[in-house]
Amino acid sequence: MIGILTFHWADNHGAMLQTYALKHYLEKRGEQVRVIPYAPYWLTCTYWLCPFKAELEDHVPRYQLLRESVRWNLRVAGRFERRRLRMRAFRRRYLTSEAPIRKTEDLSFLPFKSVVIGSDQVWNPKITLGLADAYTGNIPQRGNCRLISYAASFGEDALPEADREEFIRRVGGFHAVSVREEAGAAFARQLLGREVCHALDPTLLLDRTEWEKIGKVPPEKDYVLLYMMPCREHLLRWAQAFAARLGKKLIALANPGSTHRLRNFEPASGVGPAEFIGYVQNAYCVLTSSFHGTVFSILYEKPFLTYCQDVLGNRQRNLLERLGLLSHLWELDKDTDPAEVWKNTDWEQVRSRLSSERERSERFLAENI
């Protein structure tokens, strides 16, 4: 049996869909796969109706109530709960229905021949409060299973200096290592002094026909889709003006808890992972600041623009560059007509490049699982 240890617990479309994709891909190859239900409170607490932020103090998580988010979540509690229920339903149906494991010491890798750690930002110390024991394989009941990272991410181009020696000690013993971003792979290669594969996010291992099997078609048609992660006022206002110029309705998707600073804004309600797929599939065009918003726009060959707003945007930039789609990287003050960008997109070339990237990633899995 193969175990997958990742951020399946996050009420986030991309986190859940990448977990589904890796599980489904390995099952199609004839493997028996189990998502390990590790979901500690210090990670999941940011997704609660009354959310907390966890910080380490003397190696112990301390919790701070996010009061502004609490006030907003309670104002939109109905919308928040509809979204959360669809997230949970998707998780139970497609990922795991097992009871969550809250403590690292309760984890066991003994039932598995291999444990795949990743994808997602499992090596981002800003998320995991330093390098987390579980996501670096540092658990008592590890046994003899082989540890493999698939498309793991640091969140940035490199780890902070303070975490590097620990990373070498732990991840240096993995059977095989792959990283999602090109810069991250180069950094890990140099740090570990061994081969590190540059691998695709698992969502790109499946084609659109696979996603259509689980997607839910929305009632709306012929709309501009805005998918923001995180929310930004200026991006919303630009999208509203752009949709009005096209004479189309704007449908916006965002985490309800992240929209409290936006004026006169109400995102689409109750959108889980299956609904997200349907919204991308049926959009006239997609405007996004999200990595997975970019991914699914590419899979469905949609007219799209990707707005990169900070260092996290390097993920999108790297993907677009690899697939020959850098012209879709957008600044809000650009003079270029988006229609010209979309008209000149060579989707045949994109499919060819994506096929080559898939082959490399599939080869990594086939050789190391």
Side-chain angles (χ1 to χ4, degrees), residues 189-261:
R189 197 175 295 124
Q190 181 179 27
L191 194 64
L192 297 174
R194 58 178 291 186
E195 181 56 34
V196 174
C197 180
H198 177 211
L200 282 177
D201 185 89
T203 51
L204 287 161
L205 294 175
L206 308 183
D207 62 27
R208 73 173 80 176
T209 60
E210 295 286 345
W211 289 114
E212 286 168 4
K213 293 175 184 176
I214 65 168
K216 292 188 177 180
V217 177
E220 300 92 341
K221 302 290 181 186
D222 199 35
Y223 50 84
V224 173
L225 179 66
L226 172 65
Y227 184 53
M228 292 190 292
M229 293 290 284
C231 293
R232 292 290 184 267
E233 180 88 28
H234 59 297
L235 179 56
L236 172 63
R237 303 309 165 205
W238 186 90
Q240 289 172 329
F242 182 72
R245 194 160 69 245
L246 293 176
K248 299 187 184 297
K249 179 179 180 180
L250 179 70
I251 292 179
L253 305 184
N255 183 343
S258 67
T259 61
H260 55 277
R261 292 187 177 88

Side-chain angles (χ1 to χ4, degrees), residues 9-28:
W9 44 263
D11 283 349
N12 174 287
H13 301 117
M16 296 180 70
L17 291 171
Q18 64 85 15
T19 308
Y20 169 84
L22 185 56
K23 181 175 184 286
H24 183 67
Y25 174 80
L26 292 174
E27 287 173 339
K28 284 203 310 175

Side-chain angles (χ1 to χ4, degrees), residues 266-282:
E266 186 170 331
S269 181
V271 178
E275 290 78 16
F276 165 76
I277 294 168
Y279 269 114
V280 175
Q281 179 186 348
N282 287 274

